[in-house]
């Protein structure tokens, strides 16, 4: 009987340590190759306030080097498990196994409501060069990433 109790205690400890590691992990929200050298990626929180849903909008676009034309790009919406909009507090929140973190709050400028980041959930854009083998030749390709990380 004593060995069964020890095994259960060890299993519980292993599960709790796994949950702690999972909470601290970074989540790759977006990863895709870029078409042009001048394309940039950025991300921001978005929400449907009526449905209490939240997600991350990833902007992939290029800017005109001379600044004569407006930026051209697309917005790609990405869901993150645990991210939701709380209409009672007017906040975007991220729920982990142990806590809830406020990522963004409603703010208003000139009668327009938008989400203002609290800084507790980072959206970090990055890009890297990767070698791609298409079966005929090996070439370099730029791959963009957005990483979500909730701060405790």
């Amino acid at each position: 009987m004593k060995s069964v109790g020890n095994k259960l205690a060890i299993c519980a400890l292993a599960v709790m340590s796994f949950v702690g590691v999972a909470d601290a992990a970074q989540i790759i929200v977006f990863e895709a190759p870029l078409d042009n050298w001048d394309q940039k990626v950025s991300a921001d929180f978005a929400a449907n306030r009526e449905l209490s849903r939240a997600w991350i909008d990833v902007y992939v676009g290029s800017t005109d080097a001379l600044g004569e034309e407006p930026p051209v790009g697309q917005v790609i919406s990405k869901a993150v498990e645990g991210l939701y909009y709380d209409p009672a507090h007017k906040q975007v929140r991220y729920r982990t196994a142990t806590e809830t973190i406020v990522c963004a709050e409603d703010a208003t400028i000139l009668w327009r409501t938008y989400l203002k980041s609290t800084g507790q959930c980072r959206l970090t854009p990055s890009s890297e060069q990767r070698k791609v083998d298409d079966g005929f030749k090996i070439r370099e390709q730029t791959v963009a990433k957005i990483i979500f990380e909730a701060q405790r």
Side-chain angles (χ1 to χ4, degrees):
M1 225 23 177
K2 190 174 184 178
S3 67
V4 171
N6 288 342
K7 287 180 183 177
L8 286 175
I10 290 171
C11 288
L13 182 60
V15 167
M16 287 181 357
S17 66
F18 174 74
V19 168
V21 170
D23 287 348
Q26 298 176 339
I27 300 170
I28 297 174
V29 175
F30 174 82
E31 185 173 29
L34 297 178
D35 296 330
N36 300 318
W37 64 270
D38 67 338
Q39 280 189 309
K40 304 289 183 219
V41 294
S42 62
D44 213 347
F45 295 102
N48 180 321
R49 289 164 178 82
E50 289 81 31
L51 297 177
S52 300
R53 295 186 183 150
W55 60 91
I56 295 171
D57 274 346
V58 177
Y59 174 77
V60 180
S62 58
T63 56
D64 183 14
L66 300 176
E68 295 175 3
E69 294 186 26
V72 178
Q74 64 178 342
V75 175
I76 303 164
S77 298
K78 294 291 191 174
V80 174
E81 187 174 337
L83 195 67
Y84 67 98
Y85 182 79
D86 180 354
H89 295 97
K90 299 183 178 185
Q91 298 173 328
V92 171
R93 296 179 170 200
Y94 178 65
R95 182 180 303 124
T96 68
T98 57
E99 64 185 326
T100 300
I101 300 166
V102 178
C103 295
E105 298 176 318
D106 277 352
T108 305
I109 289 183
L110 298 175
W111 307 281
R112 183 181 168 267
T113 302
Y114 69 99
L115 291 169
K116 180 179 177 183
S117 176
T118 62
Q120 294 181 11
C121 301
R122 284 194 284 185
L123 296 172
T124 308
S126 67
S127 61
E128 66 184 23
Q129 292 290 94
R130 293 186 187 167
K131 293 190 184 298
V132 177
D133 185 350
D134 64 5
F136 300 102
K137 61 185 174 185
I138 296 175
R139 61 183 170 82
E140 292 275 324
Q141 184 172 38
T142 304
V143 177
K145 251 191 235 190
I146 298 289
I147 297 172
F148 170 84
E149 183 177 14
Q151 306 294 307
R152 293 179 185 218

